[in-house]
Structures are given as C-alpha cells and as structure tokens.
Amino acid sequence: MWALDLGTTNTLLARWDQSSDRPSLLEMPDIARRSLKTDAGDPSRAVPSALHILAEPSWWARLGTSGLLSRHLFLGKLALIGREALELNPLRPRSNFVPTFKRYLSRSPLAAVARAGARSYTAREAAYLFMRELLAHARRASGERIRDLVVTAPVDSYESYRAEVAAICRRLGVRRVRFLDEPVAAALGYGIGLTRQRHALVVDFGAGTLHMALLRLQPGDALSGRAQVLAKASRDAGGNLVDRWLLDEFCRRLHFDPTTQPEDEDRLWAALMLAEACRIKEAIYFDERATFEFLPPESVRRLDERVRGQATPLELDRAALAGLLEEKGLYETLRQCLDETLQQARASGLSESDIDDVLMVGGSTLLPGVYAIFEQRFGRARVRAWQPFEAVVYGAAVFAADRVHPSDFLVHDYALLTYDLKSKEPEYSIIVPRGTTFPTRPDHWKRSLVPTCALGEPERVFKLVICEIGTGQSGGLFWDADGRVRRIGATGSERVIVKLNESNPALGRLDPPHSPRDSSPRLQVGFGVNAERWLCASVHDLQTGKQLMRDEPVVRLL
C-alpha cells in the first residue's frame, strides 16, 4: 500500500508503516535533492522530477523493456533521475535531459520533450522512464516491489492525465492504481477527519507557481478521493523567482554584472550562484541568517578589494529577506490571489468565516512573512502548516491503507501555565494531550485549584493562561508566537510554547476576593473540547456556590 505524489518539480513516495501506525516517507538519498536529512519539513528528501535519458542503454536494460519482463523485473537502467539527472546537466542542458514532464502528460503526451542519439522521446515515454527508474530505486531502498499504489492528482487535471499515469503503472507491474485529489490528500495528511462537510482553503506555494483552491469536502470524499472546487486562483510566483531575486541582490552588493563576462564563464557562475541563492533562502526558513559562500572568480572582483586582500562577506538575515520580498511585491501577490479566491467564494454564498481549515502545501509557504498573512486573516487555529512537503503524500498513504480517521484529533499538546511557589519557575500542566479526539466530555480535565494571589494581594479575578506546546512527536515544524517556523527535534526534548490567551486570561471574578492566607481549594475547574475545536471551561466557586462559567469557549485548538 504505497502512495506517490508525482509533482511538476519534486516527487515523493510514502507507505503506511504498520509498526508506528503512521505514514512513512521512503528515503532515497542517491536521487534525492541533496544530502539526506531525516527531519520533517526538509526539502532535500524530495526527488526532483527530472530525468536524463541514456542514449545507449545496455542490452540487458533494453531486454527489460519487453512487456512480460517489465512487469516483474527492473533490468539495467534506461535513464538517470532526480539529483543524478540534475548533476549531469548543471550548465547547458543536453538534448536528452527532461527537466519536467508532468504538465505535458494530460495536454500533449505525444509532444517531443527530448532526443537521445537518433531517437526522440515523447512526454509519455519520458514519464514512463522516470516512473520505471523511480520504482526501481524504491525496490532497492525498501526491498519491496510496488503493486498497490495511490497517485495524487491536481483537482483540475484532465481524465486523460489519470489514464496516462494508470497505463504507465500497469506497464510497470502495478496491479492496483487509485487516484486521490491533492487537496483531499492534504486534508488527510494534516489529520482532518472527513466526518462532516467542511470547507478547506488549500494554499499550494511551491517552486514555480502559487495556486489557491477553496474546496467543499464531504464525508464521502474520503472514499471517492474527489472534492468539489468552489473557487480558485493562481499566480506565476514561487521559490524559483525568489532565487533569482536573491541572485540579483547579491550581484548588486558585489557590484558585479554577470552579463559582461564571457558566455561560458557567465553561465557557470550564474548557475552556481543561483544554486547558492536557493540554499540561502532555504537556510533562512529556520535560521536567523545565512552567509553567501560562493563568490565570483577573483578576476571579476573589484580592484580595491584585491589590493586589500579583503573578501566581501555576504550575509542575509530574515528581516532582509522579508524586506526584499515586500519590495518585489510577493506579499501583495499573495493577498491579491487570496482576495480573488474569496471573491469567487462569496459569489457562491461563502464567507471567510465559513472556511474551516487553511492547508499550507509547498516549500515557499516557509518563506518569512507568508504564514503570518494567513494567520492574521484566519487565526492560528485554522492554519495547518507543519508539513508542507509531506502532507499530500502522507494523506495518500492514509488513503492507501484505508486508515482514514473516523473523527478529528488534536495535533498539539495544550497546557495550563502555572508557577512554582518556591522557585517561581513556569510549569505546564497538560490538560488536553495531542492525539485527543473531539468532541470530548465537558469535564475531560477537572481539578480543584487555589488562586495564585500574585504579589501577595487578594485575588479578585481568576486567571489561567492556556498554552499550545509543540514537540518532536507532534510534528517536525511548529510556528512560534512571532510567526516564525521552528524545526523541532524528533526526540521531543525541545519544546516550543505559545501562549494563546495571554491578553485575556480571565475566567471569572471572585466575590469575595480570595485571601493569600487561604490555601484551601477555592475553585473547581473543568475543561473539554467541543465539536468546533473550542476549549470550553466550566468554573465553580466552592466558597460561594456560584457558577462563574459553564462550558464557555476560551480558545480554539489546532
């Protein structure tokens, strides 16, 4: 039971891991983008959707293309894929290099996309070669031949695209092929149980394009794999464009004009610098700053720098990158695309408040300032962003294993903030642990508490601060109170804590006030989660018998 996210730029394979009872990404370091890392949210684990067709494959490999053998064995190699293909074509792509093929499959599968030796290759043939080598790598990495596969597809893809992919899979011995709309896969990958109708805004912001789609998700979608699109908009903006902006900025700082250099030298330098700009961009996803380490050749540096022997360190920090994105209009592009989508939704009778979930997909959603746009518009509790690379393929793995959750569950821990009486150090008491399905009982957590009486003064207003806690077990990425993405270690030893109701922590007034000399419990407090993911509080004053709160919403959970 395998899942494939066959992307225009990157491809991922996953399967359901029975031992951990969760999806697991197949690691293929030989063809992944860069050196293998196992952290969630790491773009280097993806396989570039590119191939380099071998002009003269071995006799053994040609034999393996026969119908019977191709369905049972992978003999030899017909192409190099992923990072291996990119490394063979760093400067001037050869005629047998195919940087992408997906967009051609549904519209013009017979269009020629490459030439190797005396033979030209169509998009259909390129897709077959890529899939063949991908499944061969998967066989070596997992020890398993893929026979049951769920493939994700864009919601607006033609049926011909699905037919093309299905035919290729059957040629390669996949006995059962099913398709799943990418937004439905993203919803399942982010742990949304489709037990009722809900509306989801999918923000797919990757390397080449920005797509937004508002969907109506029905309970049956988890079985059919299809969803209804209510509104959509797109823009030609993505990570590749940001890389070029960064390269232009570095050239400006170096007072360097690459167009004045010899053609071959220019092409080499530009390619290496563009790759370095991409590395810097991705480093700033998680770090405050990064240093640009690849400078132009010594012959093109300024004379005064050569005389002094000083190199020009090129550092870029998060604020500078955000400033560049603002200057280039990226944030305005995001807002315009969002406004266009919501305007179409209003024509269908839907408002912003009707959107239940915002699902962030694609690496460019990690650019500084992007998450904040959607958090400010929809609120933290509606934005799901912690696995932008893996959500779609993980959801497909859930679908493949028929493990669609029967009800929704919470993905983070929620705790009360208190302080130790002696050390005054903060303590966090978990009231709703991650994985809790909801709705819960109103008294899911219930305790008798003593008001803190800060500064030794009588307590007149009962206050409790609710915190959201992210650990390695609750997802590799977590957004802190400043809107910055944090990568949390898989061991769970690191925690990121966000205070949710710090500006309004009051849960009732105490009349008479509670004396600091009285150490007996004054209040009975209960918390539960309702069907709309609101943490609801019930507070009973034990001294006066008054009910200060009865199942009243306090904060919304994720």
Side-chain angles (χ1 to χ4, degrees), residues 408-425:
D408 289 335
F409 63 95
L410 301 176
V411 297
H412 295 142
D413 294 318
Y414 294 88
L416 297 180
L417 170 61
T418 58
Y419 292 90
D420 184 86
L421 293 177
K422 294 182 179 179
S423 67
K424 308 302 180 182
E425 291 294 319

Side-chain angles (χ1 to χ4, degrees), residues 10-29:
N10 293 306
T11 292
L12 293 169
L13 264 174
R15 58 180 169 179
W16 187 265
D17 188 333
Q18 297 286 358
S19 60
S20 63
D21 199 37
R22 61 183 300 176
S24 175
L25 191 67
L26 181 65
E27 310 285 4
M28 294 181 283

Side-chain angles (χ1 to χ4, degrees), residues 356-518:
D356 298 286
D357 306 283
V358 179
L359 312 178
M360 308 288 277
V361 178
S364 294
T365 61
L366 299 179
L367 286 167
V370 173
Y371 173 86
I373 290 175
F374 296 91
E375 181 190 30
Q376 293 166 6
R377 193 79 175 256
F378 297 97
R380 181 183 181 89
R382 285 195 278 176
V383 182
R384 297 170 181 254
W386 58 88
Q387 48 188 28
F389 302 104
E390 302 93 345
V392 171
V393 75
Y394 280 175
V398 170
F399 183 83
D402 200 20
R403 297 296 299 270
V404 178
H405 292 278
S407 61
D408 289 335
F409 63 95
L410 301 176
V411 297
H412 295 142
D413 294 318
Y414 294 88
L416 297 180
L417 170 61
T418 58
Y419 292 90
D420 184 86
L421 293 177
K422 294 182 179 179
S423 67
K424 308 302 180 182
E425 291 294 319
E427 296 178 336
Y428 302 93
S429 302
I430 302 294
I431 56 175
V432 185
R434 64 183 178 86
T436 299
T437 58
F438 60 89
T440 68
R441 301 189 318 272
D443 59 348
H444 177 77
W445 183 93
K446 191 174 183 179
R447 299 287 189 278
S448 295
L449 301 178
V450 181
T452 56
C453 298
L455 303 177
E457 296 293 328
E459 189 81 21
R460 289 178 168 80
V461 179
F462 176 55
K463 302 176 183 178
L464 280 178
V465 174
I466 312 298
C467 298
E468 180 181 354
I469 301 178
T471 65
Q473 287 85 1
S474 60
L477 302 181
F478 188 85
W479 298 87
D480 64 20
D482 297 324
R484 289 186 50 182
V485 62
R486 300 278 295 275
R487 199 202 312 263
I488 306 174
T491 62
S493 57
E494 181 186 356
R495 297 191 302 178
V496 180
I497 299 168
V498 176
K499 298 175 183 178
L500 299 179
N501 66 329
E502 188 176 21
S503 61
N504 184 25
L507 298 183
R509 296 190 65 85
L510 302 178
D511 186 16
H514 188 80
S515 171
R517 294 186 295 274
D518 186 357

